Amino acid sequence: MTPKKSHLAIAESKTSSPNTETSPKCLLPVAVAEFEGLDMRLCDDLQEAGCPMASHLKEQLAFEEFLSQLSSVFVNVKPIEVDSRIKSALQSIAKFLNIDRTGFGEVTSEGLLILQSYELPGLSPMPRVILEQEFPVYMSLIQRGEVFRMPEDLPPEASRELDYCSSTGLLSNLTIPLKSMGRVVGGFSLELYRRRVPWPEELVHRLCLVGEIFSNAIERKRTDIELRSREASLSNAHDELRQLAAKLLHAQEEERRRIAREMHDDWTQRLALLGIDVARLSNESEIPARMREPLLAMQSELVRLAEDVHALSRQLHPSILDDLGLVEALRSECSCFSRRERIAVEYVAIGGDHELPKEISLCIYRVAQEALRNIAKHAAVAEAKVSLQVSPSRLLLRVEDKGIGFDSESMRSQPGLGLSSMIERVRLIGAELTVLTSPGCGTVLKVLITIDGSTR
Ligand SMILES: Nc1ncnc2c1ncn2[C@@H]1O[C@H](COP(=O)(O)OP(=O)(O)O)[C@@H](O)[C@H]1O
Ligand SMILES: [Mg+2]
């Protein structure tokens, strides 16, 4: 492989002509077609050839390289790593520019809170906070968002700041404000104690670019913190809502149980007694014949009323669930539903349920009850199917109809009260609810629970 020709060599060979012996050589590359940009090698060549611009170009190039390395460190930086990256960036800046102390802080209501400081051995770190009341001129300069140098840019009335410079031996300070969305959010400073430097405009401009890199990183971190705190409060609110829903469901069940017991033990008994009284009355010899028929009608109405109260009490709280278990309670619910709604229900139960915990039995019973109610209310069918499979390790309830179905996607985002309470009940027992449906294709609702030792 032939070694690559130096840029300078190209420049010289292209510009050489027979009478250039005495005329000064052009030290800059003129062979534009072959010029691949300014790089250190070209700068070295230029320096070797005695170009007066070479060392400045080298310096510039080195800074560009430094800046691009610095920005690459902050590309895709994770919010949690921002502080440590800024800390090592301050260290690299100090080393690169031969600075004695660098620091970075965020503007708060109190002043400038110094978050990172890097200093040469022997120097103390920057104070933890630069209070506004202690350094009013310095802080107002920062808040104005302008770059400033100390002591040069300090007005004569900045006595506290000037005192600070002389008491600490601070010879030169450059402070770059950090802005985010047009607001000053902080600043970073470069300080010298061993010598005074003039801080040329070009350098200040580049350090402002570093400031922008820092500002972006801080903004990212701040957004992440805000996002996390919103997520946390959202999730807290969610948890609270769920706890509340669980309490409400529990309270509702308790209330239903109480009313159901009252209806069953008290009202149905009283209605039965009333029926007996009416029957006895209708058999009395003194009762006029014309009264007998209305009394018999009253008696059968009382019997129907007692049956309705009994059925309502059973719906409110199925004591059969406690007495005979889930399999029988569902069988009874299906046949009552069938009679009441005139919808034929095929009920299939596989497996025994005697060991099922009460909260599981009640949940499955309530979900089946609501699913059947929905079939009667919405599905527009004359048949439905309910199946319950219980094995020692899992329970599967399936309620199925071949009716009009519905759009499950829109229901997922805004479920009705019935579906929401099913979801909540099922979640509370750690089960899984699936609704398979689409318009015109019927509905299959499934609840699956895995039963382990702890569930029983
Ligand atoms: N088996 C079904 N067949 C057809 N549509 C149903 C069925 N189950 C539920 N839906 C639809 O889902 C909606 C939400 O049901 P639900 O949350 O129980 O509320 P609600 O019954 O009070 O309307 C119903 O309004 C209905 O449009
Ligand atoms: Mg409903």
Side-chain angles (χ1 to χ4, degrees):
M1 213 169 104
T2 49
K4 210 176 160 193
K5 264 201 275 180
S6 116
H7 297 287
L8 194 61
I10 297 164
E12 282 175 344
S13 66
K14 298 271 165 160
T15 53
S16 63
S17 65
N19 60 356
T20 51
E21 286 293 290
T22 49
S23 62
K25 282 180 188 169
C26 173
L27 296 172
L28 288 172
V30 292
V32 176
E34 290 181 54
F35 175 56
E36 289 161 10
L38 189 65
D39 63 12
M40 268 308 173
R41 201 152 52 88
L42 174 57
C43 287
D44 286 342
D45 288 347
L46 285 168
Q47 198 165 33
E48 221 171 88
C51 175
M53 293 291 287
S55 69
H56 179 68
L57 284 173
K58 267 176 97 168
E59 229 173 71
Q60 217 172 350
L61 207 62
F63 210 118
E64 299 299 340
E65 235 174 83
F66 176 70
L67 266 186
S68 83
Q69 272 171 18
L70 198 68
S71 16
S72 69
V73 166
F74 282 90
V75 172
N76 297 331
V77 60
K78 290 193 190 114
I80 195 166
E81 290 169 350
V82 166
D83 287 345
S84 64
R85 296 272 167 99
I86 289 183
K87 190 182 172 108
S88 52
L90 288 177
Q91 190 168 347
S92 329
I93 293 170
K95 283 189 178 149
F96 186 78
L97 295 174
N98 195 16
I99 301 290
D100 302 339
R101 189 164 82 168
T102 52
F104 148 82
E106 268 185 67
V107 168
T108 66
S109 52
E110 283 177 69
L112 189 67
L113 188 67
I114 303 298
L115 299 176
Q116 305 288 354
S117 166
Y118 170 76
E119 57 285 323
L120 287 184
L123 278 177
S124 54
M126 284 198 178
R128 250 184 40 76
V129 57
I130 298 178
L131 292 171
E132 195 164 347
Q133 70 235 38
E134 278 178 27
F135 300 104
V137 178
Y138 179 80
M139 280 312 298
S140 83
L141 282 167
I142 288 190
Q143 272 150 2
R144 249 190 266 156
E146 286 164 23
V147 174
F148 66 92
R149 302 136 175 96
M150 284 207 305
E152 300 91 306
D153 292 344
L154 287 179
E157 67 269 22
S159 52
R160 291 183 177 204
E161 287 79 358
L162 290 164
D163 283 354
Y164 176 81
C165 291
S166 58
S167 68
T168 56
L170 175 63
L171 295 177
S172 194
N173 167 300
L174 173 74
T175 299
I176 310 281
L178 302 178
K179 292 184 199 163
S180 168
M181 302 201 219
R183 208 166 50 90
V184 178
V185 291
F188 90 95
S189 290
L190 287 81
E191 293 181 343
L192 288 164
Y193 290 83
R194 295 172 298 172
R195 66 203 157 99
R196 194 188 288 272
V197 292
W199 306 115
E201 273 312 313
E202 209 174 354
L203 174 69
V204 171
H205 172 72
R206 290 193 178 124
L207 289 170
C208 285
L209 295 179
V210 175
E212 272 177 36
I213 297 174
F214 285 179
S215 305
N216 286 340
I218 296 165
E219 187 54 36
R220 197 180 298 181
K221 184 180 133 191
R222 214 171 255 193
T223 316
D224 183 73
I225 291 172
E226 263 170 41
L227 202 73
R228 272 167 204 274
S229 96
R230 278 193 203 156
E231 271 173 6
S233 56
L234 205 68
S235 130
N236 282 348
H238 206 230
D239 285 351
E240 276 170 23
L241 262 177
R242 293 205 141 157
Q243 280 169 17
L244 188 66
K247 275 189 198 158
L248 278 175
L249 279 173
H250 183 72
Q252 188 193 40
E253 282 301 341
E254 285 301 303
E255 194 58 7
R256 281 177 172 187
R257 192 192 294 267
R258 190 187 64 76
I259 297 172
R261 193 173 303 134
E262 201 154 306
M263 283 170 112
H264 181 264
D265 298 351
D266 186 15
W267 299 5
T268 48
Q269 303 301 323
R270 279 156 65 189
L271 283 168
L273 285 177
L274 217 56
I276 294 168
D277 285 351
V278 171
R280 197 180 298 134
L281 202 62
S282 65
N283 287 332
E284 288 285 334
S285 52
E286 297 102 85
I287 291 289
R290 62 187 170 81
M291 296 293 287
R292 253 179 247 288
E293 207 173 317
L295 277 171
L296 285 174
M298 202 185 283
Q299 187 199 357
S300 39
E301 185 54 30
L302 278 170
V303 170
R304 275 203 298 278
L305 192 58
E307 279 170 3
D308 286 353
V309 169
H310 184 70
L312 194 59
S313 134
R314 257 195 60 260
Q315 269 192 44
L316 278 173
H317 183 78
S319 47
I320 185 173
L321 196 58
D322 304 331
D323 302 338
L324 299 180
L326 181 62
V327 170
E328 287 316 307
L330 273 186
R331 191 187 308 284
S332 150
E333 177 63 20
C334 287
S335 69
C336 286
F337 172 83
S338 249
R339 255 182 281 129
R340 194 173 64 239
E341 307 291 345
R342 299 183 196 288
I343 294 175
V345 181
E346 181 189 337
Y347 175 64
V348 181
I350 303 167
D353 61 0
H354 52 281
E355 276 184 19
L356 278 180
K358 278 211 163 45
E359 64 275 14
I360 293 185
S361 304
L362 186 61
C363 165
I364 298 296
Y365 182 85
R366 289 296 187 211
V367 171
Q369 214 176 18
E370 176 59 22
L372 284 172
R373 240 194 318 258
N374 276 351
I375 291 177
K377 233 166 119 181
H378 311 292
V381 283
E383 289 171 4
K385 203 169 162 182
V386 176
S387 76
L388 179 72
Q389 291 175 35
V390 192
S391 74
S393 59
R394 61 176 225 151
L395 178 151
L396 176 68
L397 169 77
R398 210 180 135 100
V399 182
E400 190 178 346
D401 70 71
K402 293 195 165 53
I404 61 167
F406 60 103
D407 176 8
S408 59
E409 268 316 304
S410 65
M411 209 48 68
R412 204 189 303 271
S413 53
Q414 269 189 319
L417 200 58
L419 283 174
S420 307
S421 78
M422 283 196 228
I423 294 169
E424 211 39 51
R425 282 180 188 280
V426 165
R427 193 191 63 80
L428 282 172
I429 60 161
E432 195 184 300
L433 174 82
T434 324
V435 181
L436 299 169
T437 182
S438 63
C441 295
T443 305
V444 179
L445 180 140
K446 286 197 273 187
V447 179
L448 176 68
I449 173 160
T450 314
I451 303 166
D452 58 24
S454 63
T455 323
R456 287 192 181 273

